[in-house]
Amino acid sequence: VDIDLIRNTWSQRLDPLLPVDTPEDKMVTNRALVDACIPYERLKDWAPWAAMSSEMWQKIRAKWGKELGIDGAQEARARGLPSFGDHGDRMG
């Protein structure tokens, strides 16, 4: 993970970190840029994702699905399935 701090960078009125009455010439904030991406060259040997089993997902959906508005389309996201590459062997 790489973290870069950018101090006194320009901002705008829509920035929730700035007080509403900040004058335009004082609209600066600090930012942190976090690169938490998996390096492509390490994709094959990267640690497995934390995932929920299908059985656990079905129990949660049966008990709380209606209250939480959970449908089948959300199952992959809830189970932590990746959206790239073939890592089915890591998912258990």
Side-chain angles (χ1 to χ4, degrees), residues 8 12 18 20 25 31 43 45 51-52 57-58 60 74 77 80:
N8 298 319
Q12 59 174 326
L18 292 175
V20 177
D25 62 332
R31 302 284 183 201
L43 195 58
D45 64 345
M52 185 184 306
W57 172 253
Q58 292 304 324
I60 292 171
Q74 295 166 317
R77 288 191 305 271

Side-chain angles (χ1 to χ4, degrees), residues 18-40:
L18 292 175
V20 177
D21 58 350
T22 303
E24 278 195 46
D25 62 332
K26 302 289 184 191
M27 287 189 188
V28 293
T29 59
N30 299 324
R31 302 284 183 201
L33 299 176
V34 179
D35 178 4
C37 298
I38 298 172
Y40 184 78

Side-chain angles (χ1 to χ4, degrees), residues 71-90:
D71 61 29
Q74 295 166 317
E75 183 172 357
R77 288 191 305 271
R79 290 184 58 217
L81 295 176
S83 59
F84 58 89
D86 179 19
H87 298 323
D89 57 320
R90 293 185 181 187

